[in-house]
Amino acid sequence: MKDVLNDIKENILIHFPPDLSKCVNNTSSDVLSNLNEIRLRANKAVTANAGSEYTLDQNGFSVNANAPVMASAEDIKTIFYSAVRQSPYAFEEEIKNGYITLKGGHRVGLCGRAVQSGQEIATIKNISSLNIRISKEILCAASEVMPLITNEGRILNTLIISAPSCGKTTVLRDIIRRLSDGIGCLAHNIAVADERGEIAACANGIAQNDVGSRTDIFDAVGKAQGIMSLIRSMSPMVIATDEVGTYEDAKALRAASLCGVKMLCTAHAYDIEDMLTDKDAVKKEICSLFERIVVLKNTKRPGEIKAVYNANYERIM
Amino acid sequence: MKIILLSVLFIMPIAIGFHLSKKTEKCYKNLKYLNMCLEKIHIQITQYLIPLGDIFYELSKEEIKPMDEIFLSICKGIENGGQTFKYVFYSEFELKKETLGFANEEMDLIKNISELMGSSNVTGQEKYLAGLIKSSEKLLTYREEQYKTKASSYKKLGILAGAFLVIVFL
């Protein structure tokens, strides 16, 4: 597991103006190491979430802040420009998508004035709010899942489903790492189509999360496009991607399956019934491509299995 | 004693003349290099979308003194975060102003560069950098003329002044 405290100081607070950074640094290490996110809004108090809501004052984040520290518009501008290495032109795609990935895999969500070009957001200007989400890599998240999704050391086509924030991506990332490094199974060449950069969290093209030594990452690419391109270019044994759910995804996954590539995906759903009773039948079609469907529990600990189904949707655990 | 005094009187104006000539030369050469760097930066930003930190790091590797040190410090300033580019860029040049031989006109150009470099999208940078290169070239032409005429004049004047002082004291 990462040293969260150092990670926050080296990769997040480095972007803060000295005054704000000093205040945050005064926070007790217990609170700091449990931080999930820091929110900055122009001319509003700086807040954080570490299980419960905290507000920043001169002594750091606390539940009952005496004199809350306000983030000025200038502070937000400084953090934004520092996060994009003073080069917003080089981060146009990320800004358009509303987030920037920092070293360490932390993500800065952006909000401000949208500049639209037709139906699409061309860019965001006058950034007024930042939501810094602290990336916490959990390297044992898939230990429970692994024996159920491998057969004689080889991966089976696996779909992980759960409600939001139950650790799908965390589990997927750990499975990728284990398969790539051959931990408890044969080592596989893996290609990741990381559309939203949540799996590998690439910053300047380098994966900030440990996704193993035999993993190729196609960052910020559409899933369907990425899968097809990766099959042609990288000849992977396994293709992994996050949050599949459209016809295009299903089509690309089917093509991958026909090429003999194993698939490792996640999807949003509360249970397998959710997937099989989908009105558009897309999710059902997606399910039909997998040999294992792992449903995660709705708990705070990522990777807790609720149920595992085989290709015939029979519960095997 | 008299010979020593005369020698000092002869050498001092020459030294001042050579110093002024060297300063003009330094200013011209460093401005010429800065202008070349601006053109490189323009291409790297608008064609390749390379972040400023990487651009300045690459420029620092060209080892053109004292610019390489300035560029490396700018790169570190950007990567260390928490400060504006305007501050990082301008303060590094301000620190080495004397070594570079830069006068107020050059520092105004530096200020202009620091104001908006990197701060907009590619289209904005394209226009902005083209404008900067133009004003840098204009200043460079002026400094080139100065260098060609003044640099040798300072040396000649120094020698003449030295000789004049010696003659007067003799």
Side-chain angles (χ1 to χ4, degrees), chain A residues 8 31-38 48-52 131-136 300:
Chain A
I8 290 175
V31 176
L32 212 54
S33 57
N34 283 316
L35 280 185
N36 297 319
E37 60 177 31
I38 302 172
N49 183 294
S52 47
N131 177 17
I132 304 169
R133 288 167 63 189
I134 288 118
S135 154
K136 285 176 186 163
K300 279 193 175 177

Side-chain angles (χ1 to χ4, degrees), chain A residues 14-18 74 78 81-82 84-92 103 123 204, chain B residues 45 49-52 54-55 78-85 118-122 125:
Chain A
I14 195 174
H15 300 292
F16 280 45
E74 199 57 36
T78 305
Y81 276 100
S82 180
V84 294
R85 303 169 68 205
Q86 311 291 343
S87 318
Y89 60 84
F91 291 81
E92 275 183 35
K103 270 187 193 165
T123 190
N204 308 320
Chain B
I45 286 181
L49 309 179
I50 299 173
L52 286 179
D54 296 345
I55 296 176
I78 292 171
E79 300 305 330
N80 288 342
Q83 285 172 332
T84 61
F85 176 74
S119 68
S120 60
N121 63 8
V122 178
Q125 287 296 297

Side-chain angles (χ1 to χ4, degrees), chain A residues 80 84 88 91-99 110 123-124:
Chain A
F80 167 70
V84 294
F91 291 81
E92 275 183 35
E93 275 305 311
E94 288 90 336
I95 295 168
K96 238 188 251 183
N97 290 329
Y99 62 84
L110 311 169
T123 190
I124 302 173

